[in-house]
């Protein structure tokens, strides 16, 4: 993509240097506007592409940013593993402990007891 931007920039410079008749002034101005909008778009795309995705995370399928994989929870700028006690399973819920006790076990002070 960088090569394409360079080619467009060179074209834009060549168009800018050429001092044509007044009839082409509108065309040149339109090309400059289109080129400026293109540069702003490319700059925005490269900034969002450069955002750092931490370990155990994946980029969002829409918008900017990232989300933690299953079994991990976002803590500041990283994904920490959810600590699941014995006799419990992951729920996949983004709230609460992230786990629930298995059938027949009761929650008691961050553990599941019979």
């Amino acid at each position: 993509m960088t090569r394409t931007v360079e080619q467009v920039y060179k074209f834009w410079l060549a168009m800018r240097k050429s001092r044509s008749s007044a009839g082409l002034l509108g065309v040149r101005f339109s090309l400059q506007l289109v080129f400026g909008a293109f540069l702003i778009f490319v700059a925005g795309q490269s900034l969002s592409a450069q955002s750092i995705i931490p370990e155990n995370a994946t980029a969002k399928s829409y918008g900017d940013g990232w989300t933690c994989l299953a079994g991990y929870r976002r803590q500041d700028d990283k994904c920490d593993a959810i600590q699941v006690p014995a006799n419990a399973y992951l729920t996949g819920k983004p709230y609460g402990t992230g786990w629930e006790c298995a059938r027949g076990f009761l929650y008691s002070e961050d553990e599941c007891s019979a």
Side-chain angles (χ1 to χ4, degrees):
M1 185 168 227
T2 304
R3 183 173 289 158
T4 304
V5 171
E6 289 174 12
Q7 290 172 350
V8 172
Y9 181 69
K10 287 178 183 178
F11 174 75
W12 180 73
L13 282 178
M15 290 297 295
R16 189 171 177 182
K17 287 180 183 178
S18 69
R19 301 286 182 207
S20 301
S21 65
L24 291 179
L25 184 60
V27 174
R28 285 183 33 215
F29 182 73
S30 297
L31 285 174
Q32 289 175 350
L33 282 178
V34 169
F35 180 71
F38 175 75
L39 285 181
I40 291 170
F41 173 78
V42 169
Q45 292 297 318
S46 65
L47 287 176
S48 64
Q50 292 175 357
S51 62
I52 298 171
I53 299 175
E55 189 174 348
N56 302 312
T58 184
K60 286 185 176 180
S61 58
Y62 57 90
D64 295 333
W66 49 270
T67 56
C68 294
L69 299 174
Y72 294 88
R73 180 156 296 158
R74 188 173 188 152
Q75 185 68 26
D76 299 323
D77 289 335
K78 60 183 179 178
C79 293
D80 291 336
I82 297 174
Q83 301 301 317
V84 181
N87 304 314
Y89 61 91
L90 288 170
T91 61
K93 297 176 183 173
Y95 54 86
T97 59
W99 55 267
E100 290 181 1
C101 293
R103 187 175 185 155
F105 294 89
L106 298 173
Y107 176 81
S108 175
E109 298 181 20
D110 291 336
E111 62 182 26
C112 296
S113 54

